[in-house]
Amino acid sequence: MAHPYSARSRAIEPFHVMALLARANQLQAEGHDVIHLEIGEPDFTTAEPIIAAGQAALAAGHTRYTAARGVPALREAIASFYAERYRLRIDPERILITPGGSGALLLASSLLVDPGKHWLLADPGYPCNRHFLRLVEGGAQLVPVGPEERYQLTPQLVERHWDGDSVGALVASPANPTGTLLHRDELAALSATVKGRGGHLVVDEIYHGLTYGVDASSVLEVDDEAFVLNSFSKYFGMTGWRLGWLVAPPQAVPELEKLAQNLYISAPSMAQYAALACFEPATLAILEERRAEFARRRDYLLPALRELGFGIAVEPEGAFYLYADISAFGGDAFAFCRHFIETEHVAFTPGVDFGRHLASRHVRFAYTQSLPRLEEAVERIARGLKSWRPDAL
């Protein structure tokens, strides 16, 4: 009997961490104090000026469809943000507002990838990237990367792995799960290599704004024809509002607009009007305070985990993650994560959710909890390491 559902659907893997999260939530419902270091979501609520703007938008009746490319005022505000933060002049006509960064990825993959073609992606990396490619009947050529490359694609790796079905490369800076950046010269070299092969460079800049001790360069500083994915979820703290954007070359915009009209009509209207408040000085001041708090958390958790024996070879410069090697403790990462949920009620993510390369030896910690909670988590992890028996599972 034929399978009742599509091969496409069956090929898209679930988030393995969701099973761990379900168990963590069950323990929490039973009255246990669970420390959540598994979810890639800021623990801060949306900043008050943005909430107020959203409430005002609802009161004013901004509840109807917008143009597929988004509210013009928001596209203009984003263009102004590029001018102020990156000294770039981006025509607002090149910006499409999307339902989250996921909507931007859906547009880019739909536009650029034919069935059977693929992009090069770093392994480890954000899993939905490869799943979106499968959704459009394309694929991901996963390229193993490690500390030597700071977990990023390099021109040499692109040259080595490019084949007749390659049509582009997708990189993330800062990256999930490793927090590493591609600096301006690295972006320029990657762009030249991909263009030299006749491909497109797509850059996930969703964690821009959340960098520590360094400012992230946009690929648009070195390649005006690159496709940029961004989001209001991380730096701007609007995860549940589902709002992102895509910057594309001018010639691609008509095709992207057509796709947007058909795939989702428009991004949420009230969220777009709320996001206008993101760029006000008072809001940016709040967001910068939060960035400083994330830096303090990183600067505590990174040495604390290293002292316990976790291998973190590359200091993350952005996002809010630590990608740690558990080889010193032995055993499989999923079992390791399960042990800490059950014994110490600390939840973090197994490497298998981010790819295949040495995945069973790695876990990801999200420092999206307050410093006191991180300190408590480290105490519990230290205790849990004493009871960890990899051969007993």
Side-chain angles (χ1 to χ4, degrees):
M1 179 179 173
H3 198 284
Y5 305 120
S6 69
R8 179 191 311 108
S9 175
R10 299 197 303 275
I12 292 175
E13 302 165 37
F15 279 117
H16 295 87
V17 74
M18 298 313 290
L20 298 171
L21 178 60
R23 178 58 179 151
N25 289 338
Q26 181 184 1
L27 288 165
Q28 201 162 289
E30 292 170 0
H32 296 285
D33 176 31
V34 178
I35 301 178
H36 292 276
L37 306 181
E38 78 279 34
I39 301 301
E41 179 174 33
D43 53 319
F44 304 106
T45 57
T46 301
E48 181 54 40
I50 302 172
I51 293 174
Q55 291 169 331
L58 288 171
H62 292 306
T63 59
R64 303 173 70 85
Y65 294 136
T66 72
R69 280 189 289 159
V71 173
L74 182 56
R75 292 190 283 113
E76 290 162 9
I78 293 170
S80 296
F81 187 66
Y82 276 98
E84 292 162 14
R85 184 151 291 194
Y86 305 101
R87 302 290 182 262
L88 286 170
R89 295 185 63 182
I90 304 295
D91 187 343
E93 296 300 308
R94 294 175 53 190
I95 299 169
L96 293 95
I97 309 300
T98 59
S102 300
L105 180 58
L106 178 60
L107 288 184
S109 54
S110 299
L111 178 77
L112 300 175
V113 183
D114 275 322
K117 302 299 182 181
H118 58 239
W119 285 344
L120 273 59
L121 275 66
D123 178 2
Y126 180 57
C128 291
N129 292 339
R130 64 180 188 269
H131 295 156
F132 269 107
L133 292 170
R134 179 63 185 88
L135 192 67
V136 298
E137 302 299 336
Q141 175 78 10
L142 296 181
V143 178
V145 293
E148 310 78 28
E149 302 89 11
R150 294 181 14 268
Y151 299 101
Q152 294 282 1
L153 290 184
T154 65
Q156 294 76 20
L157 287 172
V158 170
E159 292 282 3
R160 190 181 314 156
H161 290 272
W162 196 277
D163 62 29
D165 290 324
S166 303
V167 292
L170 169 62
V171 295
S173 177
N176 177 7
T178 60
T180 60
L181 291 181
L182 284 163
H183 299 283
R184 185 185 174 113
D185 58 336
E186 294 169 320
L187 288 165
L190 266 178
S191 168
T193 302
V194 172
K195 278 185 172 179
R197 292 284 190 161
H200 297 281
L201 181 60
V202 183
V203 183
D204 169 349
E205 298 185 354
I206 284 169
Y207 290 93
H208 268 224
L210 291 175
T211 56
Y212 315 111
V214 62
D215 289 329
S217 294
S218 173
V219 68
L220 296 171
E221 297 172 35
V222 297
D223 181 359
D224 200 48
E225 295 181 342
F227 290 78
V228 171
L229 317 173
N230 213 319
S231 172
F232 286 94
S233 289
K234 308 303 183 180
Y235 176 66
F236 296 105
M238 295 180 67
T239 49
W241 299 76
R242 307 312 305 133
L243 202 65
W245 74 85
L246 172 67
V247 184
Q251 64 272 20
V253 171
E255 289 295 309
L256 289 166
E257 183 175 24
K258 177 181 66 179
L259 288 168
Q261 290 166 344
N262 282 276
L263 290 171
Y264 54 80
I265 302 178
S266 67
S269 54
M270 61 289 290
Q272 294 188 60
Y273 285 99
L276 289 169
C278 288
F279 308 104
E280 294 173 0
T283 307
L284 291 171
I286 294 169
L287 301 181
E288 286 301 305
E289 287 174 11
R290 293 178 176 184
R291 186 212 317 224
E293 174 61 19
F294 279 124
R296 286 189 286 271
R297 296 174 183 183
R298 181 201 65 164
D299 293 345
Y300 164 72
L301 191 59
L302 177 62
L305 290 175
R306 281 174 169 167
E307 193 171 329
L308 291 178
F310 290 89
I312 306 172
V314 181
E315 181 173 305
E317 295 176 296
F320 33 64
Y321 307 116
L322 296 173
Y323 195 61
D325 190 331
I326 63 165
S327 298
F329 313 119
D332 170 77
F334 192 88
F336 189 78
C337 291
R338 192 170 63 233
H339 167 76
F340 281 91
I341 286 178
E342 296 295 343
T343 63
E344 301 298 334
H345 304 144
V346 179
F348 43 91
T349 308
V352 68
D353 268 344
F354 305 106
R356 305 187 183 103
H357 181 54
L358 303 180
S360 65
R361 286 175 27 186
H362 286 82
V363 297
R364 187 195 74 177
F365 297 91
Y367 44 94
T368 50
Q369 296 285 318
S370 67
L371 268 174
R373 293 293 279 170
L374 292 179
E375 290 166 356
E376 172 69 19
V378 168
E379 289 179 14
R380 295 188 194 182
I381 292 168
R383 189 168 60 227
L385 286 172
K386 295 174 183 175
S387 62
W388 166 241
R389 300 288 183 271
D391 298 331
L393 298 172

